[in-house]
Structure formats: structure tokens, C-alpha cells
Amino acid sequence: MTTPITLSDEVADAVHSGRAIVALESTILSHGLPPGRNLAVANRLEETVRAAGAVPATIAVLDGVAHAGLSRAQLERVCAADAGLDKLSLRDLGPAIGLGRSGATTVASTSALAHAAGIGVFATGGLGGVHLGAGESWDVSADLGVLARVPVLVVCSGVKSVLDIAATLEVLETNSVPVLGYATGEFPAFYRRSSGFEVPWRVDDAASAAAVVAAHRRVASSGVLLANPIPATAEMSAELHDRLLAEGLALLDSRGVHGKEVTPVLLEHFHTASGGVSLDANEELVVSNARVAAEVAVELA
């Protein structure tokens, strides 16, 4: 990738000196959490990364410029209720930059921009995947294609249960993306600690995860997925989760929602219909992922 990306002074210094850095996406802030709470979570994520000894690099596109590491004013702008940011996957970066637009980056675009900036570790909430019925719709997240060719470690809590998890894992295997379970042998499903599917490999600490990532980078050019289950204390009950999921799927069907709009609509339903349980769960899992990512980044550095 040759697209210029502006690094904050702190991130630039960390890149040049080889210090540990963790990239953080901005879509969760602008599209995944309500105003007010999103800024609190943004601050907590950056503080969590710093506490573990790494430098946070929140990524976004502002007025046609890609940034890695946001100032206080820029972070507040991303989280503002009237920000009006576009949701930018990798395919959208060129148009947004070329037209001088502003947008929040997804897993795909954040991974690509992080790699362009020299950042090899990225923490997020959940990975995109193969949608149910993809055999007819061809609805497969760009996240998987980017992981296939960008050597970034993505730390997440698996994928949401609205996706075809078996097919998602199969696509990752086909594209030579190692899937590691962090202190678990089961692939997590975002709000739930287990999806019922096994992970091919398990690592139990940051040093082991870093060793795998370093070895993989010597033999392949694809990324690595580290699946870190939501903390047990924040896990959504199976009963509530299954009810919200059934309602959410029915809502998507009734509205004819597909593509990149699926996740925002589904998350909004979970947030409004769970009495705040899903918001708490979302915050705790992404903070946990940021901590694990920072610990692995420190080991890699």
C-alpha cells in the first residue's frame, strides 16, 4: 500500500524506535457505540494499551487524510453525535481520500492502514465473516480477504453468531490465516465465549502468541487471528443472546438489510432490546482484546 498516512508524533516515534504499538479501529466508536459512551470507551482503550506498555494508534480518515494516532480533538470529532462519518472498508479508502471525505475505518481498512504505517498488531471487537446464505448472495466480509494478504495480527472475540461461523473458519483456512484461541480451545462468538467450533491452535499467554506470529511471518504473508473470548463476567446469557439473535435476524429479513449495513442494524437491536447488557458486554470484550493485543505487541517488540 502506498497511500500516505499521517502518523501522530507519538506513533511515528514508536514506529521508528521499534516500540510496541496497537492499532485501534474507529468504526466501533462512530457506528458501534452511542455518543458519550463512545468517547469514554475510546479513552479506556487507549489507557488500557498504555498500561500494558504499548502505544495506541487509533485510525481514521479525516478530510481525506488517513491518520494513525488521533489527537484529543480528532478523537472527540470521531465520537461526536453529529460527526456524520462514512463507514470505510478497504474498498472505500481510495474514494474517501480522493474526495476529501471523512470516515471511520473497519477491520479491513484499519488492518491495511496499520500495515502501511508499520504497525503489526490490531485490536478490535469482532471480525467480519461469511454471512448466512452467502452461497446465493456472495456476502462475505472484506475482512477475510485483507487478512489473507496483510501480515497483521488481529485480536478479536471471534465473530458474531449471526454469521456462518463454520464457513468463516473454512475461508480463513483456505487463505492460510492461522486461527489461535487465547487460553481456549473453542472459537468465541462475540457476546458468547464459545461458538461450538474448535480452534486449530491454542496459546495460553502473550509470549506464546508472539512466538507463533513471529514464526508465521517468516514463512507466510497472511495475517494471524487471535481469538480472545469475552471475559466470563461480561458474557451475555445464552437465553438473552438467543432471543436477541432471533429477533435481530427477523428484523434484517423484514427490512431487507444486507452487506455492510447488517452489523450496525444488528448491534442497534442488541443495544436497544437488551437493556444495556450488550453495550456493557461490547465494551468489556474490546477492552480485553486491547489488553491482550498490547501484551503480545510488547513481546513482539
Side-chain angles (χ1 to χ4, degrees):
M1 221 180 141
T2 57
T3 299
I5 179 168
T6 298
L7 309 185
S8 68
D9 290 343
E10 181 185 28
V11 172
D13 179 70
V15 169
H16 294 149
S17 62
R19 292 176 58 201
I21 311 171
V22 174
L24 301 168
E25 65 161 291
S26 46
T27 290
I28 187 176
L29 304 177
S30 65
H31 293 75
L33 295 167
R37 183 155 190 168
N38 55 2
L39 183 58
V41 171
N43 292 332
R44 189 179 175 195
L45 287 172
E46 295 202 347
E47 290 167 1
T48 297
V49 171
R50 293 185 195 283
V55 172
T58 302
I59 293 178
V61 175
L62 299 174
D63 302 317
V65 178
H67 293 267
L70 301 183
S71 67
R72 173 57 43 193
Q74 290 171 329
L75 200 58
E76 290 176 353
R77 176 181 172 183
V78 167
C79 294
D82 59 351
L85 299 185
D86 296 318
K87 182 179 179 181
L88 306 178
S89 186
L90 181 55
R91 69 166 187 179
D92 306 305
L93 286 182
I97 292 170
L99 297 173
R101 299 285 291 271
S102 298
T105 53
T106 65
V107 171
S109 52
T110 303
S111 297
L113 288 171
H115 178 57
I119 302 169
V121 179
F122 164 41
T124 186
L127 183 73
V130 179
H131 287 249
L132 296 170
E136 296 181 0
S137 68
W138 294 83
D139 197 349
V140 179
S141 172
D143 296 355
L144 303 184
V146 171
L147 260 178
R149 62 184 186 274
V150 176
V152 169
L153 169 65
V154 177
V155 182
C156 69
S157 294
V159 300
K160 296 179 182 68
S161 49
V162 68
L163 299 175
D164 188 331
I165 297 176
T168 299
L169 291 171
E170 189 65 35
V171 171
L172 289 168
E173 178 186 356
T174 299
N175 286 288
S176 302
V177 177
V179 178
L180 316 176
Y182 193 73
T184 182
E186 300 179 57
F187 191 70
F190 202 68
Y191 296 121
R192 299 287 299 163
R193 289 178 59 81
S194 174
S195 65
F197 293 91
E198 295 182 354
V199 289
W201 296 95
R202 172 176 173 151
V203 293
D204 288 308
D205 52 46
S208 299
V212 171
V213 172
H216 179 71
R217 288 175 176 169
R218 291 195 292 269
V219 299
S221 58
S222 54
V224 177
L225 185 68
L226 182 58
N228 177 41
I230 183 174
T233 54
E235 183 180 25
M236 185 180 290
S237 71
E239 180 181 7
L240 177 60
H241 172 271
D242 292 349
R243 175 175 67 80
L244 293 173
L245 179 59
E247 294 171 353
L249 290 172
L251 184 64
L252 295 175
D253 184 61
S254 67
R255 294 184 182 178
V257 177
H258 56 83
K260 67 178 184 179
E261 299 305 319
V262 166
T263 297
V265 171
L266 190 65
L267 280 178
E268 177 63 22
H269 175 70
F270 268 71
H271 294 342
T272 57
S274 69
V277 172
S278 72
L279 280 173
D280 293 339
N282 201 353
E283 177 174 347
E284 294 309 315
L285 70 83
V286 73
V287 168
S288 175
N289 294 339
R291 176 185 57 78
V292 170
E295 291 172 353
V296 176
V298 168
E299 293 290 340
L300 284 169

